[in-house]
Amino acid sequence: MQFQCDTASRTPIYRQLTDQVRAAVARGRIQPGDRLPSVRQLSRELVVNPNTVARAYTELEREGTLVTQQGRGVFVAEPRNDLTKRARQKQLEEHLDQLFVEAVHLGFSAEELLQLIHKRQERFTFSVEENPS
């Protein structure tokens, strides 16, 4: 996976990196078990402070997206569902509410928003839940 950072963006570089990893996992571009570049390697490639990359990796590890294996490197973690289905649904509803607020402020109708959602969903990999909690 090729990472990029935009130093002119108002979004902090560590947040740009975390967003790129999350999106790559959601789109199936990187899979559980895939190895990511080391902190040093990625900081050299992007010409950023190693602490910035470490912060992104730490945040992704804390949320369960990445796992560090001592002496081996940083890997994409196997998906975990620590939360109940209801808790996960509540979290998603909060994000959807934010999306709807933004769509209203941008002047989109409900139909336009739904069409856009259907068009964009093809870019993502959705899993089928086998054991709902």
Side-chain angles (χ1 to χ4, degrees):
M1 161 162 196
Q2 188 67 27
F3 292 98
Q4 302 172 13
C5 63
D6 179 4
T7 55
S9 171
R10 295 184 124 184
T11 304
I13 293 171
Y14 85 93
R15 176 66 62 202
Q16 293 177 39
L17 293 173
T18 58
D19 290 349
Q20 287 176 52
V21 170
R22 286 184 193 117
V25 170
R27 290 183 171 137
R29 290 187 181 146
I30 55 176
Q31 302 290 322
D34 287 354
R35 185 174 186 199
L36 295 182
S38 70
V39 169
R40 283 186 187 157
Q41 179 184 352
L42 188 54
S43 68
R44 276 193 302 259
E45 288 174 15
L46 297 175
V47 191
V48 298
N49 189 309
N51 292 334
T52 301
V53 176
R55 182 175 181 186
Y57 280 6
T58 299
E59 184 173 315
L60 290 163
E61 242 187 300
R62 198 174 310 124
E63 72 183 29
T65 302
L66 298 182
V67 61
T68 299
Q69 296 177 6
Q70 196 66 26
R72 293 195 59 225
V74 179
F75 298 85
V76 177
E78 291 293 329
R80 299 184 336 222
N81 286 332
D82 294 345
L83 301 174
T84 65
K85 179 157 183 142
R86 179 66 196 131
R88 288 181 285 133
Q89 183 174 338
K90 184 177 187 302
Q91 212 173 45
L92 183 59
E93 286 170 353
E94 291 170 3
H95 290 293
L96 285 171
D97 288 348
Q98 292 172 0
L99 172 67
F100 294 145
V101 167
E102 190 65 24
V104 168
H105 285 289
L106 291 172
F108 285 90
S109 70
E111 184 61 35
E112 289 171 320
L113 178 60
L114 289 174
Q115 287 175 355
L116 186 57
I117 288 170
H118 287 294
K119 180 180 175 185
R120 303 280 300 184
Q121 82 180 23
E122 297 169 359
R123 297 178 179 201
F124 295 89
T125 305
F126 289 92
S127 62
V128 177
E129 190 170 306
E130 295 175 15
N131 186 14
S133 302

